[in-house]
């Protein structure tokens, strides 16, 4: 097995994978409760297990859920845009619906915080067209947790469409694990796995950056995705600044595979992996018919390891 940090190729001089195109969403439908007549609920742009959050159900969103796969207690606080998963005792299970809301078990049309209080399993459904995800967020996602979270995406249907992806977690903005300067952090493990059948399979696909604050482990797996690309993480940058923080990123068997595939990988300085405070980052590409990378970036200068607080970066291809 060859070990390295950047541009780890099984075969060189091959065109890189096409980046996913931006997706479009319908207009927001959030209403202000203050402007509604008494007795008419407010609707919020958050869907859990296919159920839209309203002022009537936000205290127990899954109560009476039609899908028996949706169990446990989920509450929503629209004033802080926080979705609380669990009550600290009973496990939570949330399933998406095929061909609805990207098959996502949880979808948010804006910034949102997940507060994982019980062990939670999120399972996306497959879709005949477009991109799919276990969690689909159009905005920033902040993740704090006391318990474990497992996310799996459903399968896509078309590896020829450059805009298609299947991601355990998709975030159009930035993804924060923990809140800087507070005691709210991710004191647990999150595991995200992408599905196959789309051009891109990713455990975590973030259009912005991923930042870890204090403790916690994130494991991201791309699925075996013949004919497409499989990555653990795809993001503009990943920063591990907690103590101790671990990130593990694994690509599956595919045409192109990478532990982490940095956006704009051909522009030096546009992306970065930063490891601080004794954190660990492991990135491994899977077996590939064209190219396999541990970390796909433009230049080794995009990898930053602070020597005074040395972390560890292991990047390898198979």
């Amino acid at each position: 097995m060859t070990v390295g940090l950047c541009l780890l190729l099984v075969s060189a001089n091959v065109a890189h994978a096409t980046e996913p195109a931006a997706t479009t969403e319908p207009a927001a439908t959030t209403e202000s409760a203050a402007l509604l007549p008494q007795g008419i609920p407010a609707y919020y742009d958050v869907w859990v297990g296919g159920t839209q959050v309203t002022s009537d159900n936000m205290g127990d969103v899954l109560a009476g859920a039609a899908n028996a796969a949706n169990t446990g207690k989920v509450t929503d606080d629209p004033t802080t845009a926080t979705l609380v998963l669990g009550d600290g005792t009973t496990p939570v299970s949330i399933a998406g619906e095929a061909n609805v809301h990207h098959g996502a078990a949880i979808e948010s049309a804006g910034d949102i915080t997940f507060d994982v209080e019980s062990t939670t399993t999120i399972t996306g459904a497959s879709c005949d067209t477009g991109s799919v995800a276990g969690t689909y967020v159009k905005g920033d996602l902040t993740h704090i947790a006391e318990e474990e979270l497992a996310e799996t995406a459903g399968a896509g249907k078309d590896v020829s469409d450059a805009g298609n992806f299947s991601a355990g977690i998709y975030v159009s903005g930035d993804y924060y694990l923990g809140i800087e300067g507070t005691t709210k952090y991710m004191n647990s493990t999150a595991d995200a796995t992408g599905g196959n059948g789309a051009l891109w399979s990713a455990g975590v696909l973030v259009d912005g950056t991923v930042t870890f604050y204090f403790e916690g482990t994130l494991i991201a797996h791309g699925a075996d995705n013949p004919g497409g690309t499989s990555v653990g993480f795809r993001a503009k940058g990943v920063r591990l600044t907690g103590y101790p923080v671990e990130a593990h990123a694994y690509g599956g068997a595919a045409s192109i595979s990478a532990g982490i595939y940095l956006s704009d990988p051909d522009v030096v300085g546009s992306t970065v992996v930063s490891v601080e405070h004794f954190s660990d980052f492991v990135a491994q590409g899977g077996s590939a018919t064209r190219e396999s990378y541990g970390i796909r970036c433009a230049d080794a200068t995009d990898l930053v390891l602070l020597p005074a607080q040395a972390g560890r970066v292991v990047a390898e291809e198979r």
Side-chain angles (χ1 to χ4, degrees), residues 107-196:
E107 182 185 28
S108 175
D111 298 349
I112 193 167
T113 295
F114 287 177
D115 183 355
V116 185
E117 295 293 331
S118 295
T119 300
T120 299
T121 301
I122 293 176
T123 306
S126 299
C127 292
D128 293 331
T129 59
S131 296
V132 295
T135 288
Y136 194 102
V137 176
K138 293 292 288 184
D140 294 341
L141 172 61
T142 300
H143 182 172
I144 57 178
E146 290 294 331
E147 298 294 339
E148 295 186 356
L149 173 69
E151 302 225 22
T152 304
K157 296 292 186 181
D158 187 359
V159 297
S160 65
D161 187 339
N164 282 354
F165 60 79
S166 176
I169 298 172
Y170 169 69
V171 181
S172 71
D174 296 318
Y175 182 19
Y176 302 97
L177 292 100
I179 301 175
E180 187 176 22
T182 74
T183 58
K184 296 180 178 181
Y185 50 86
M186 200 180 109
N187 187 26
S188 62
T189 298
D191 194 318
T193 302
N196 58 17

Side-chain angles (χ1 to χ4, degrees), residues 33-101:
L35 300 179
L36 292 173
Q38 186 174 3
I40 297 179
Y43 289 80
Y44 303 102
D45 285 330
V46 179
W47 288 262
V48 181
T51 297
Q52 186 171 10
V53 175
T54 72
S55 55
D56 282 348
N57 70 14
M58 64 185 185
D60 192 352
V61 180
L62 296 181
N67 187 343
N70 295 322
T71 60
K73 187 171 184 178
V74 175
T75 61
D76 181 72
D77 182 353
T79 62
T80 61
T82 299
L83 199 66
V84 181
L85 305 176
D87 56 9
T89 302
T90 306
V92 173
S93 179
I94 308 170
E97 297 182 358
N99 300 311
V100 179
H101 299 296

